[in-house]
Amino acid sequence: MSRAFRLGITGKIGSGKSTLSDVARSHGIRVLEADSVAKEVMNSDPEVRAKIISIFGEESYSGNSLNRSYLASKVFTDESLRLQLEEIVHPATLEVFEKEFSNAKAGEIIALESAILFQTELDERFDAVILVDAEDKAAVDRGEASGKLMREDIANRLKQQNYSNEWKEDADFVITNNGSHEEFITRSEALIEFVKIVSNQDLPEQPLRSLYD
């Protein structure tokens, strides 16, 4: 079967998965970002928009744009609301992912970066999954240094991502990021080169991970 190789990239917030994704891009791999796709779906899909407004109210949008800060204030303090939002958004984003995978050229590597790949059971849609692992303190420090979130917000997101160490056993590759940025870049370069070698094979119609026992 001649098709594109599907690569999943996952890890908790602040782990460094976006850095790994940047390295992958520098090696010619197309990387989709689950968060970016989800935001686009919430902004542009009328059905998704209507469902969000029905639950979270008109304040969910400001004009034609998603009111991200308002929505975040709701879902990151209420587990039930977060789950309701995921039930609306995940099916629509999954359609986008599958379309991108199907349209990718044979022999190409197409990757998806998602912090909740295992939590949403998306891992079986890939040929291989890389998990970027980091200690919580390192993840919080890294996230705070980015200037995008406060420590409390990062800690809340870590809690909601419900990260499990068992996923390190489920992943095909695990790369740890508790050291320097330079060290992580070097190891990421080596890992991506190895993935490129692994991807150079005849692939079955179904993703390899879906064939696991």
Side-chain angles (χ1 to χ4, degrees), residues 7-25 31-35 111-117 119 130-134 139 142 157-158 161 163 175-177 181 184-185 188 192:
L7 177 66
I9 297 174
T10 192
K12 65 181 72 171
I13 183 174
S15 63
K17 59 185 178 298
S18 294
T19 299
L20 178 65
S21 293
D22 288 340
V23 171
R25 290 187 184 95
V31 182
L32 306 173
E33 295 180 0
D35 285 348
L112 172 67
E113 176 193 323
S114 171
I116 54 174
L117 190 149
Q119 296 92 316
I130 299 174
L131 186 146
V132 184
D133 186 44
R142 197 174 292 118
R157 295 196 182 194
L158 279 172
Q161 286 175 1
Y163 183 85
I175 180 169
T176 303
N177 185 20
H181 178 73
F184 183 62
I185 290 291
S188 296
I192 293 300

Side-chain angles (χ1 to χ4, degrees), residues 90-146:
H90 283 178
T93 57
L94 186 57
E95 287 185 15
V96 175
F97 300 152
E98 287 296 338
K99 183 177 180 180
E100 292 289 343
F101 292 150
S102 297
N103 292 338
K105 297 178 181 179
E108 179 183 2
I109 301 175
I110 181 166
L112 172 67
E113 176 193 323
S114 171
I116 54 174
L117 190 149
F118 282 112
Q119 296 92 316
T120 52
E121 299 182 348
L122 284 176
D123 57 294
E124 292 187 357
R125 296 178 182 270
F126 296 91
D127 296 301
V129 169
I130 299 174
L131 186 146
V132 184
D133 186 44
E135 297 174 352
D136 282 358
K137 183 180 184 305
V140 171
D141 290 345
R142 197 174 292 118
E144 183 182 36
S146 70

Side-chain angles (χ1 to χ4, degrees), residues 51 55 80-92:
K51 289 180 179 179
I55 295 174
S80 64
L81 288 178
R82 181 181 66 82
L83 292 174
Q84 288 182 69
L85 181 63
E86 289 178 356
E87 289 177 359
I88 295 170
V89 177
H90 283 178

